[in-house]
Amino acid sequence: MSLTPDEIDRYARHLVLRDVGGPGQQKLKAARVLVIGAGGLGAPLIQYLAAAGIGTIGIVDDDTVSLSNLQRQVIHGTPDIGLPKVESATDAIRRLNPHVTVETHAIRLTPENARELVRRYDIVADGSDNFETRYAVSDACFFEKKPLVTAALGQFDASLTTIRAHETGPGGKPNPTYRCLFPAPPPPGAIPTCAEAGVLGALAGVMGSLMAMEVIREIVGFGESLVGRLLMVDARAMRFDTVRYGWDEGNPLSGTGTQ
């Protein structure tokens, strides 16, 4: 997929990067990325994906912009209050990069519609704020054989990993699934919501940007991805830690009992 003269100028700083260059930028232009949620994580994620030149960005969100969103959901502005988030995000993308095609899905992702949505895209980035959606997305990515970049926010802490559960690792074992890392969701009410506990707005920006980095890495193919590694961020101590995790043979998706 060739680049136009305008795109060559726009992506000049990518084109001179040895690990991206012209071939990498062409891969970004050809890519189709599905973003789950246009909120705290999705807002910076979408902005950086659009700026990077992702060819098609799909956005799933059934919410509207409210005043309390604007402390962290930086793709939306005060004039957007009351608009569907997918509409506000689309307007922002078009202002930022007219070369990007946007596909909006103003619906709530559920276990019933997840696979149909996921199969249309090359890679999925989940910035949702509830466990039901996270498990539905991760299961759908496994069955549809799509890579998944997924992150979660706490008050002053966050985590990020990449899942390629449909593939095997270097040792021949399956790559871990999301359910290998988190076998089951916590009981309802065990973890307070963002509205109840609060969240540091800038932390959402950090993690959304890191999600964009992982999506770009998975498309272009440089460095070491977060497959089998969980990045944990402690904003109070400004500490970044990475822990390794592996395939659980008892997981319900790719475990030995499912063969």
Side-chain angles (χ1 to χ4, degrees):
M1 184 173 288
S2 61
L3 303 175
T4 67
D6 181 73
E7 289 173 313
I8 291 172
D9 192 20
R10 178 182 291 269
Y11 308 128
R13 302 304 185 272
H14 272 179
L15 297 177
V16 297
L17 278 176
R18 180 177 299 177
D19 289 341
V20 180
Q25 193 62 52
Q26 289 171 338
K27 289 180 181 178
L28 295 174
K29 182 176 180 178
R32 293 175 52 82
V33 179
L34 180 65
V35 175
I36 313 299
L41 291 169
L45 166 63
I46 291 167
Q47 287 178 311
Y48 272 107
L49 292 180
I54 297 297
T56 302
I57 300 175
I59 307 173
V60 180
D61 200 304
D62 67 342
D63 199 6
T64 57
V65 180
S66 65
L67 184 59
S68 64
N69 297 150
L70 304 185
Q71 165 256 10
R72 64 203 176 282
Q73 300 181 18
V74 293
I75 203 168
H76 313 296
T78 303
D80 300 319
I81 292 173
L83 290 178
K85 288 183 180 178
V86 292
E87 182 179 326
S88 173
T90 298
D91 291 342
I93 292 171
R94 288 174 176 160
R95 290 193 300 270
L96 179 61
N97 190 346
H99 299 288
V100 176
T101 298
V102 184
E103 296 177 352
T104 59
H105 307 280
I107 58 175
R108 187 173 186 83
L109 187 141
T110 67
E112 290 72 33
N113 64 22
R115 290 186 63 174
E116 180 182 355
L117 285 167
V118 163
R119 72 169 58 108
R120 306 180 195 178
Y121 296 86
D122 303 316
I123 185 169
V124 179
D126 180 19
S128 62
D129 61 357
N130 66 88
F131 288 99
E132 180 184 5
T133 301
R134 290 173 193 159
Y135 281 88
V137 171
S138 63
D139 288 355
C141 286
F142 172 78
F143 288 115
E144 296 298 329
K145 297 180 171 54
K146 305 291 184 179
L148 168 67
V149 175
T150 180
L153 286 175
Q155 293 173 298
F156 290 89
D157 60 281
S159 62
L160 169 67
T161 192
T162 297
I163 309 286
R164 299 186 74 102
H166 57 287
E167 299 174 349
T168 56
K173 286 186 176 181
N175 282 333
T177 70
Y178 185 80
R179 290 179 182 270
C180 296
L181 183 59
F182 303 110
I191 297 179
T193 66
C194 173
E196 294 168 339
V199 62
L200 186 66
L203 179 60
V206 170
M207 298 309 297
S209 298
L210 288 173
M211 290 180 74
M213 177 79 77
E214 275 301 289
V215 171
I216 293 168
R217 183 198 313 279
E218 291 300 311
I219 294 169
V220 174
F222 59 84
E224 181 183 358
S225 82
L226 283 175
V227 172
R229 298 191 298 147
L230 179 68
L231 175 67
M232 298 182 296
V233 179
D234 180 349
R236 291 183 185 275
M238 195 52 75
R239 187 174 66 233
F240 288 66
D241 295 312
T242 305
V243 297
R244 293 192 176 273
Y245 64 97
W247 173 66
D248 176 7
E249 64 180 18
N251 86 80
L253 297 178
S254 62
T256 54
T258 64
Q259 304 304 314

